[in-house]
Amino acid sequence: MPTYKAPVRDARFILNEVLNLESYGNLPGFESASADIVDAVLEEGGKFTAEVLFPLNAVGDQEGCTRHEDGSVTTPSGFKEAFEQFKEAGWGTLSAPEEFGGQGMPHAIGFVMEEFMASSNQAFGMYPGLTNGAVSAILAKGSQEQKETYAPKMISGQWTGTMNLTEPHCGTDLGLIRTKAVPQADGSYAITGMKIFISSGEHDMAENIIHLVLAKTPGAPESSKGISLFIVPKFLLDEDENPSERNGVSCGSIEHKMGIHGNSTCVMNYDDAIGYMVGEENKGLAAMFIMMNAARLGVGIQGLSQAEVAYQNAVEYAGDRRQGRALTGPAEPEEKADTLFVHPDIRRMLMDAKAFNEGMRALCIWGALQVDLSHKAATEEERETADDIIGLLTPVIKGYGTDKGYDIATNMQQVYGGHGYIEEWGMSQYVRDARIAMIYEGANGVQAMDLCGRKLAQHGGRAVQAFFKVVDEECAAAKNVPELTEFAERIEKSNGELKAATMWFMQNAMANPNHLGAGAHHYMHMMGIVALGMMWLRMGQTAAAALKSGTEDKAFYEGKLTTARYFSERFTPDVGALRRKIETGGDAMMELPAEAFATA
């Protein structure tokens, strides 16, 4: 049977030592992020996810959700009770604004809890995760009345939320949506249409579900410029703002999915459902993107989370399973065989996982800090830089994070050999659950084009130049640490390769946009490697300083330096190869006519 233990020690290292959250204590919300409070939150969050949520992970996978004839949906055994515990403990309030019942803590702490939840039970974590995104959109674009009506109960977990974008005939191209919103005399709208792939669309865990729905008003432009956003509650509210009459929205069916069976992914039918516009007419896509950007960071964390739980189990299996002998001679002559740990190829997969997981965790938490600083930093310049950097890195965290997260999950399954293919060992679920993260909230090819087609050129390239500067500064600082000098030189070279690839796009993409499209995925991975390398430099400097000061936890910090060296040696060489792929352009990729792909 699989196991899970939240990586509290590593998260504490990043928050308290690498990022030193206490140093931001003069900023709003950070005053409550002292090291002792952070430690307490992490310890309790680790216990809750490991002891309450993780035992339900396999249950959710095996049972799935059940739709009944009246359109209601029952979640897997134990989910409703676990959600009550989640709600009572206030886990959903961590980073929410105090004005609406939240604790107002930094997003950096909230992101750690998101990882713990997704590792322990990704399907369960999606219910509050989507609610957080819906709250973000309402707080950013909703009226004061809408904020006061919906946000407090959604933040508390009394109500949950969803996002409704996709329709049967359109996914990424939202300009094609057909859902209609007809104005009513009382200022509301009658919403009619069908939405598919709606995660958490119907369930039995909350009193009400607040759907955020994209639709078009009469006469709106046919393109994405004609989309508006609406709040459509499952139950309409009475005079006291309590759920009363059922609205015209229902679950038509539950999607039969490869993974995340414990989450109710629904086909949602809207039949003259009463909705309320959020923000301005025809400006709904911009409002929804606030929710989608939050969700994309959350999905990047899901890539990490499945890699982490799969890694933990692979490490345990490799320590127990005995097969063959070490290439250098028997490691344990008294035993009939050595453990899997002696084999370099097993080590390759485990070290790849360790280097990615710990680097990605640091990048996600640092990214969350940029979210906080974009709103709360002391100067406008600092806020602008933080906003630029997290905007640039959001598609990288989502795209690179989930591409690699899935790769890691499948490699951890490989460690098990044939047992990894057997359901009882649990590794299949991690692979299946990880796969969706590369697709939803914008498929990773879309993320790559968002990065290269929009973010690089935005504000005259201000964001990417800021990123290059941060990496160069980190390399310069790390060169002064003897243990990291060679690593810093490798990252500096990799950053140079990334700069050169950026320049190649500038020189060639205008003449032929397919050159950009053909290289976007490779560029996203280049930036992912450089970003993780930057975080490994920071962690390496922290570890070296701790060892120099005579820490009692010597093994932990030595492990950080060794893993940093491994990342340097095994990940950074790919950056140059990816650049060379980019510079071949897109001619051969696009040359064949469509009929040439037929096999019969």
Side-chain angles (χ1 to χ4, degrees):
M1 291 291 291
T3 61
Y4 172 69
K5 183 177 180 181
V8 171
R9 176 68 182 91
D10 200 49
R12 183 189 300 128
F13 165 70
I14 297 166
L15 288 167
N16 293 340
E17 299 178 59
V18 178
L19 300 183
N20 189 16
L21 280 194
E22 283 190 322
S23 67
Y24 297 93
N26 62 313
L27 301 180
F30 285 87
E31 65 274 5
S32 61
S34 62
D36 57 335
I37 291 178
V38 169
D39 289 351
V41 171
L42 296 185
E43 288 291 344
E44 290 305 311
K47 288 179 184 178
F48 174 76
T49 53
E51 296 174 6
V52 177
L53 299 187
F54 182 71
L56 299 175
N57 196 38
V59 174
D61 186 55
Q62 293 160 14
E63 288 188 13
C65 297
T66 304
R67 179 189 178 277
H68 306 287
E69 288 186 8
D70 62 357
S72 64
V73 171
T74 302
T75 50
S77 302
F79 271 47
K80 187 174 183 178
E81 293 76 12
F83 193 78
E84 280 299 312
Q85 294 182 58
F86 171 88
K87 183 171 65 175
E88 289 171 9
W91 289 117
T93 69
L94 276 182
S95 301
E98 292 181 273
E99 178 186 357
F100 298 104
Q103 298 182 50
M105 298 187 78
H107 283 86
I109 298 173
F111 271 37
V112 173
M113 188 61 185
E114 282 195 42
E115 183 206 329
F116 292 179
M117 289 181 62
S119 283
S120 62
N121 195 324
Q122 180 174 328
F124 180 95
M126 291 169 65
Y127 292 98
L130 285 159
T131 303
N132 291 339
V135 168
S136 297
I138 291 171
L139 293 182
K141 296 294 183 180
S143 66
Q144 189 61 31
E145 181 182 1
Q146 288 171 339
K147 295 175 188 178
E148 293 173 357
T149 299
Y150 298 103
K153 291 182 179 180
M154 294 173 74
I155 288 169
S156 71
Q158 191 172 346
W159 299 347
T160 60
T162 73
M163 55 192 298
N164 286 236
L165 292 80
T166 308
E167 298 182 8
H169 60 286
C170 71
T172 302
D173 191 354
L174 291 171
L176 299 176
I177 67 170
R178 296 172 183 161
T179 300
K180 296 297 182 185
V182 179
Q184 303 298 294
D186 62 358
S188 67
Y189 289 78
I191 312 296
T192 300
M194 175 187 289
K195 299 289 184 176
I196 64 171
F197 306 157
I198 308 306
S199 301
S200 313
E202 172 64 25
H203 58 82
D204 58 349
M205 300 195 302
E207 292 179 3
N208 207 352
I209 303 173
I210 310 305
H211 302 287
L212 290 190
V213 183
L214 291 182
K216 289 186 175 181
T217 54
E222 288 299 318
S223 67
S224 60
K225 295 180 180 180
I227 297 174
S228 300
L229 180 63
F230 300 87
I231 289 173
V232 185
K234 173 182 174 180
F235 291 103
L236 300 173
L237 306 184
D238 62 20
E239 294 180 355
D240 298 320
E241 297 185 347
N242 294 316
S244 60
E245 180 185 350
R246 180 68 187 255
N247 203 357
V249 52
S250 62
C251 170
S253 64
I254 295 178
E255 308 282 9
H256 298 281
K257 309 186 297 289
M258 176 178 173
I260 53 169
H261 297 153
N263 192 270
S264 54
T265 307
C266 300
V267 173
M268 301 300 297
N269 295 321
Y270 292 85
D271 299 301
D272 285 332
I274 295 176
Y276 309 95
M277 186 177 289
V278 179
E280 298 179 49
E281 186 173 4
N282 298 334
K283 298 290 181 65
L285 196 57
M288 183 63 86
F289 263 113
I290 294 168
M291 184 174 182
M292 290 180 69
N293 284 333
R296 284 169 177 173
L297 291 171
V299 173
I301 293 172
Q302 289 178 358
L304 162 63
S305 71
Q306 297 311 297
E308 171 65 27
V309 68
Y311 165 73
Q312 289 188 18
N313 284 276
V315 167
E316 185 173 332
Y317 184 83
D320 292 338
R321 180 73 166 174
R322 293 184 179 274
Q323 292 283 288
R325 290 297 191 183
L327 298 177
T328 54
E332 297 179 74
E334 70 280 5
E335 299 286 347
K336 292 183 178 180
D338 294 329
T339 68
L340 294 181
F341 267 105
V342 306
H343 302 300
D345 195 57
I346 297 294
R347 287 288 189 127
R348 171 186 64 82
M349 292 186 284
L350 293 177
M351 285 299 294
D352 278 359
K354 182 175 175 63
F356 169 77
N357 290 355
E358 294 177 17
M360 188 67 187
R361 179 173 299 116
L363 180 62
C364 287
I365 298 174
W366 181 70
L369 177 61
Q370 305 314 302
V371 172
D372 286 312
L373 294 178
S374 70
H375 298 288
K376 300 176 180 179
T379 69
E380 175 61 30
E381 182 181 3
E382 290 174 304
R383 292 192 292 272
E384 179 181 87
T385 298
D387 190 57
D388 283 347
I389 286 178
I390 191 56
L392 178 77
L393 289 180
T394 291
V396 178
I397 290 172
K398 195 281 184 186
Y400 177 74
T402 58
D403 277 351
K404 290 296 294 183
Y406 178 73
D407 286 347
I408 296 297
T410 57
N411 278 343
M412 297 305 95
Q413 185 184 40
Q414 184 77 9
V415 170
Y416 277 69
H419 290 298
Y421 203 64
I422 304 302
E423 289 291 341
E424 285 80 357
W425 287 90
M427 300 305 286
S428 167
Q429 182 182 355
Y430 304 136
V431 172
R432 289 183 285 104
D433 285 356
R435 189 63 185 86
I436 184 57
M438 301 163 71
I439 299 172
Y440 60 13
E441 306 307 342
N444 286 357
V446 175
Q447 302 302 319
M449 284 303 296
D450 176 46
L451 171 65
C452 298
R454 292 181 64 248
K455 300 297 176 60
L456 291 184
Q458 209 166 42
H459 305 300
R462 190 177 70 198
V464 74
Q465 292 301 323
F467 176 74
F468 290 152
K469 181 182 178 182
V470 170
V471 176
D472 283 336
E473 290 173 349
E474 206 64 48
C475 290
K479 283 182 180 179
N480 297 319
V481 181
E483 299 93 328
L484 298 171
T485 301
E486 185 178 353
F487 183 11
E489 291 172 350
R490 288 177 182 268
I491 294 299
E492 188 174 53
K493 180 180 178 181
S494 295
N495 200 33
E497 301 274 17
L498 187 62
K499 293 174 184 177
T502 309
M503 183 60 68
W504 191 90
F505 278 154
M506 291 176 63
Q507 295 169 343
N508 294 275
M510 288 293 289
N512 185 352
N514 282 334
H515 289 328
L516 183 96
H521 176 268
H522 303 315
Y523 187 93
M524 179 177 71
H525 276 241
M526 289 178 73
M527 186 169 282
I529 295 169
V530 171
L532 260 65
M534 176 186 69
M535 299 313 302
W536 269 114
L537 285 178
R538 292 188 173 188
M539 290 189 286
Q541 291 176 78
T542 305
L547 289 167
K548 188 175 182 179
S549 68
T551 176
E552 296 180 358
D553 199 357
K554 186 178 179 182
F556 176 84
Y557 295 103
E558 287 180 339
K560 286 293 179 186
L561 286 177
T562 299
T563 309
R565 191 172 91 240
Y566 180 87
F567 183 92
S568 165
E569 295 171 353
R570 293 282 175 157
F571 280 64
T572 60
D574 292 343
V575 176
L578 290 168
R579 175 193 167 188
R580 288 190 289 276
K581 286 186 177 184
I582 287 171
E583 292 179 352
T584 64
D587 291 342
M589 184 180 294
M590 305 304 295
E591 185 174 322
L592 286 179
E595 55 269 21
F597 288 87
T599 58

